[in-house]
Amino acid sequence: MAKKHIYFNHDGGVDDLISLFLLLEMDNVELTGVSVIPADCYLEPAVFASRKIIDRFGNGGLDVAESNSRGKNPFPKDWRMHAFYVDALPILNESGKVITPVAEKPAHLHMIDAIRNTTEKTTLLFTGPLTDLARALDEAPEIEEKIERLVWMGGTFREAGNVHEPEHDGTAEWNVFWDPEAAARVWETNIEIDLVALESTNQVPLTPDVRERWAKERKYIGVDFLGQCYAMVPPLVHFSTNSTYYLWDVLTTAFLGNSDLVKVQTVNSIVITDGPSQGRTVETPDGRPVNVVYDVDRDAFFDYMTELAKKA
Ligand code: AGV
Ligand code: CA
């Protein structure tokens, strides 16, 4: 089987860190690099957690790069705290040491090196804002030719986004909202973009039945890890609130491992960078094409991720 070469840039949420874990279990994926941006996380615990996940579940050979990027609209502190909880889990601290090193270069330069040093084209997986990619393209525009595609958790074409902040109209998704200019910069390129938008992630909320399933199968160390991580964030019970957790990034990562789980349609779109709708992605005939994942087989998705976790 030809492996896909993946560079993964994430922002340290529970579903970002579970995505890293699942990538390490995929037979059809070769990770060429990992970097962390302090958007929906604090940098230090998110980098530590990433290094420990690679130590525990990977085969070595990777380092983790820190981003020095800054966004425009900060994430709520409560959400950014999640990385501390994952980093403190006993399963990641059993060995008492951290082997996977921190990279010398900041994330955007680390990614440029990884793309250049890989003979094959690289697929980019981004589960946070696109700031590091926008900066890498400014620094080394020629890497565009060596990017197979960008798979991104971001955006929505529905009326309702998931940003509920003062001075905003609620139409944006958070990964776009944190740095709308970065998304607009990437929209200017000819990179093939697969967008896992809220259309499909809304279909995979964390629910009590999913938690129960993982609890029942906790004899598998990887399934126990899922259960422990998803104990930290609120499930959907009666109705969706601002803090209700969905498997946004995990669906994005699963799509990369198995595209049969979802349905995709092409939409021409632009990114709004200013004003009360900043961070909104809008469908318009003269916009740039993106492949939007708009539907997912929910049960097949949860089966797929749980089976991957059992391999650990
Ligand atoms: O908008 C979804 C993105 C995903 O990359 N993140 C969380 C995922 O990692 C931001 C976010 C939106 N709502 C959230 C978020 C919530 N209720 N808790 C934590 N993060
Ligand atoms: Ca994320």
Side-chain angles (χ1 to χ4, degrees):
M1 190 191 332
K3 291 194 179 200
K4 286 181 190 153
H5 294 79
I6 310 287
Y7 186 94
F8 182 36
N9 180 281
H10 73 76
D11 68 341
V14 164
D15 63 338
D16 297 83
L17 293 165
I18 292 296
S19 294
L20 173 59
F21 162 55
L22 296 175
L23 283 171
L24 294 168
E25 299 303 329
M26 288 179 187
D27 293 329
N28 54 346
V29 160
E30 166 122 7
L31 261 184
T32 63
V34 176
S35 52
V36 183
I37 181 168
D40 196 7
C41 69
Y42 290 94
L43 188 63
E44 192 176 88
V47 170
F48 265 122
S50 301
R51 295 164 65 202
K52 292 172 188 176
I53 287 169
I54 294 168
D55 283 354
R56 176 99 212 192
F57 301 108
N59 314 312
L62 285 168
D63 55 9
V64 176
E66 299 174 330
S67 172
N68 56 13
S69 295
R70 294 289 176 263
K72 185 172 171 203
N73 299 299
F75 274 97
K77 180 182 168 192
D78 294 357
W79 300 353
R80 298 183 68 195
M81 294 294 291
H82 295 156
F84 282 101
Y85 316 146
V86 178
D87 180 45
L89 283 176
I91 188 181
L92 297 182
N93 292 281
E94 197 175 357
S95 75
K97 51 184 190 281
V98 188
I99 311 258
T100 299
V102 177
E104 269 168 36
K105 293 190 183 175
H108 65 295
L109 302 181
H110 182 259
M111 178 168 66
I112 292 171
D113 284 354
I115 293 169
R116 284 182 178 153
N117 296 339
T118 304
T119 315
E120 297 82 0
K121 285 190 175 180
T122 298
T123 296
L124 301 178
L125 173 63
F126 273 63
T127 58
L130 292 181
T131 319
D132 287 322
L133 176 54
R135 291 175 72 196
L137 289 164
D138 285 343
E139 181 83 24
E142 79 282 359
I143 59 169
E144 185 175 332
E145 307 302 317
K146 282 194 72 188
I147 296 171
E148 174 71 30
R149 60 204 311 111
L150 165 67
V151 179
W152 187 34
M153 192 285 123
T156 180
F157 297 102
R158 302 250 168 100
E159 280 289 305
N162 65 3
V163 171
H164 305 119
E165 291 281 301
E167 303 189 326
H168 196 268
D169 65 8
T171 55
E173 183 282 324
W174 263 103
N175 286 340
V176 195
F177 180 63
W178 194 78
D179 188 352
E181 277 87 5
R185 169 71 181 88
V186 174
W187 252 238
E188 282 169 15
T189 67
N190 293 314
I191 299 170
E192 183 91 20
I193 300 178
D194 296 333
L195 210 60
V196 178
L198 298 180
E199 279 77 344
S200 54
T201 63
N202 280 340
Q203 295 175 280
V204 289
L206 174 65
T207 47
D209 62 301
V210 174
R211 278 186 171 163
E212 278 164 31
R213 171 181 184 172
W214 292 332
K216 285 210 175 68
E217 299 196 287
R218 68 180 287 271
K219 66 170 184 248
Y220 297 95
I221 207 162
V223 179
D224 189 50
F225 183 54
L226 295 178
Q228 301 285 351
C229 286
Y230 281 101
M232 299 170 188
V233 289
L236 175 64
V237 185
H238 302 296
F239 62 96
S240 186
T241 73
N242 190 36
S243 57
T244 301
Y245 220 81
Y246 294 79
L247 280 84
W248 303 277
D249 300 348
V250 178
L251 177 58
T252 311
T253 305
F255 162 69
L256 194 149
N258 179 4
S259 56
D260 296 341
L261 298 168
V262 304
K263 292 191 191 131
V264 182
Q265 117 198 82
T266 304
V267 169
N268 292 318
S269 75
I270 55 161
V271 180
I272 297 179
T273 52
D274 287 303
S277 305
Q278 61 182 277
R280 182 178 185 176
T281 43
V282 182
E283 179 167 6
T284 160
D286 42 339
R288 73 104 78 206
V290 291
N291 313 310
V292 180
V293 173
Y294 67 94
D295 190 41
V296 53
D297 181 341
R298 179 204 176 267
D299 293 346
F301 161 71
F302 280 108
D303 288 347
Y304 176 70
M305 72 173 285
T306 307
E307 288 307 314
L308 275 177
K310 283 185 190 172
K311 292 173 64 208

